[in-house]
């Protein structure tokens, strides 16, 4: 599952843009007709009322589309965060299983004054989960600060790629596309084998679209399809490429 598409519902946004353009044109017509009505009397009032009613309908449609976008984004964000958490738990279980044989071979009980194995590591998931909770709550600046603190304190953590991914997505939600691209590129360049790379590239394409660079966005989408054909991000990239033909 990918969240990059969730923060760029192109079809819904296009509908809103078209409706807004229609409203602007109709408002200009209303002003013209009001000026004409002043000179011609009350004969134009019924037409003005009809136009105003149509304007109200269009504004209502915009509200509906905006609500749909917000609802879809929240649902997909929650699903992705839940998936991310489950994958981390599975990774942690695998790490514990791998450590068990070594503990059994030692045959020596840990002394009471020693720091328990993994005590420092447990701070990592706590810090990560705290930042992720801020993202899920929609506190994107707080999530950025939390994940940046995390990667500063744990630069070699297995969760570092995911932290950069969420930093990028947080900046995307704040419409700071340049910083979003910068952080997603850190993930791609520093952790090229991370399973989050395709999603990071998809988010970069969304940012490029947000910056108005359609050519760069199409190139990034093409790279996703070419390099990661079996990923969920590739499926979304194909749909976006098809919709822009």
């Amino acid at each position: 599952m990918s969240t990059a598409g969730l923060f760029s519902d192109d079809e819904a946004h296009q509908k809103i843009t078209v409706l807004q353009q229609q409203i602007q044109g109709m408002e200009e017509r209303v002003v013209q007709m009001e000026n004409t009505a002043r000179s011609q009397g009350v004969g134009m009032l019924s037409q003005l009322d009809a136009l105003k009613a149509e304007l109200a309908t269009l504004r209502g449609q915009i509200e509906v589309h905006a609500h749909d976008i917000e609802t879809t984004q929240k649902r997909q964000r929650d699903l992705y965060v839940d998936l991310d958490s489950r994958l981390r738990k599975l990774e942690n279980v695998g790490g514990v299983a791998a450590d068990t044989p070594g503990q059994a071979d030692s045959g020596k009980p840990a002394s009471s004054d020693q720091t328990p194995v993994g005590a420092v590591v447990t701070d990592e998931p706590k810090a990560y989960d705290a930042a992720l909770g801020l993202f899920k709550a929609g506190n994107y600046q707080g999530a950025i600060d939390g994940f940046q603190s995390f990667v500063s304190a744990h630069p070699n953590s297995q969760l570092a790629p995911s932290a950069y991914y969420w930093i990028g997505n947080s900046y995307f939600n704040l419409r700071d596309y340049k910083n979003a691209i910068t952080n997603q590129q850190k993930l791609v360049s520093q952790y090229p084998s991370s399973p989050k790379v395709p999603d990071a590239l998809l988010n970069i394409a969304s940012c490029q679209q947000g910056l108005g660079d359609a050519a760069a966005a199409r190139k990034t989408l093409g790279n996703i399809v070419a390099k990661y054909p079996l990923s969920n991000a590739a499926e979304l990239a194909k749909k976006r490429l098809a919709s822009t033909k």
Side-chain angles (χ1 to χ4, degrees):
M1 186 180 293
S2 169
T3 55
L6 105 106
F7 301 120
S8 179
D9 192 338
D10 296 336
E11 182 178 356
H13 282 297
Q14 288 174 0
K15 289 180 180 179
I16 289 177
T17 299
V18 171
L19 289 172
Q20 288 175 332
Q21 292 173 347
Q22 292 177 359
I23 286 176
Q24 182 178 358
M26 293 182 68
E27 287 176 339
E28 292 174 354
R29 288 172 57 193
V30 168
V31 172
Q32 293 175 356
M33 292 182 70
E34 285 178 337
N35 292 333
T36 303
R38 292 190 184 98
S39 61
Q40 296 184 0
V42 297
M44 303 286 289
L45 291 178
S46 59
Q47 296 182 45
L48 282 172
D49 289 341
L51 276 175
K52 289 179 179 178
E54 190 173 349
L55 278 172
T57 299
L58 289 173
R59 290 192 178 99
Q61 291 178 12
I62 286 179
E63 291 179 2
V64 170
H65 286 305
H67 176 73
D68 288 344
I69 290 174
E70 181 180 356
T71 301
T72 301
Q73 287 179 344
K74 184 179 186 304
R75 185 187 305 116
Q76 293 184 350
R77 182 171 65 239
D78 290 348
L79 287 172
Y80 194 85
V81 169
D82 179 64
L83 177 61
D84 182 86
S85 299
R86 292 184 182 186
L87 287 174
R88 283 198 305 102
K89 288 180 181 179
L90 290 174
E91 290 172 355
N92 290 339
V93 169
V96 171
D99 290 341
T100 301
Q103 294 174 359
D105 292 342
S106 66
K108 297 179 182 180
S111 61
S112 59
D113 59 345
Q114 285 183 326
T115 301
V117 174
V120 176
V121 177
T122 57
D123 290 339
E124 291 185 25
K126 287 182 180 179
Y128 183 92
D129 288 341
L132 193 61
L134 293 172
F135 177 90
K136 186 175 180 180
N139 183 356
Y140 301 117
Q141 186 58 58
I144 291 170
D145 295 339
F147 281 119
Q148 286 179 337
S149 296
F150 176 86
V151 294
S152 294
H154 310 287
N156 299 320
S157 171
Q158 292 183 346
L159 297 173
S162 297
Y164 279 117
Y165 177 77
W166 292 115
I167 291 172
N169 264 301
S170 296
Y171 274 121
F172 181 87
N173 276 274
L174 295 175
R175 299 185 183 278
D176 187 345
Y177 301 127
K178 291 183 178 179
N179 271 321
I181 291 174
T182 296
N183 281 277
Q184 298 292 20
Q185 286 178 335
K186 287 181 181 178
L187 192 167
V188 174
S189 62
Q190 296 180 21
Y191 310 95
S193 61
S194 170
K196 279 189 166 52
V197 168
D199 288 341
L201 291 171
L202 192 61
N203 187 244
I204 288 175
S206 297
C207 293
Q208 290 167 333
Q209 289 176 333
L211 291 170
D213 194 345
R218 286 185 59 82
K219 182 177 180 180
T220 301
L221 293 172
N223 288 339
I224 296 171
V225 175
K227 295 181 178 179
Y228 309 96
L230 301 180
S231 67
N232 290 329
E235 292 299 317
L236 291 173
K238 291 177 184 177
K239 292 179 181 178
R240 291 194 191 181
L241 287 170
S243 67
T244 56
K245 287 183 178 180

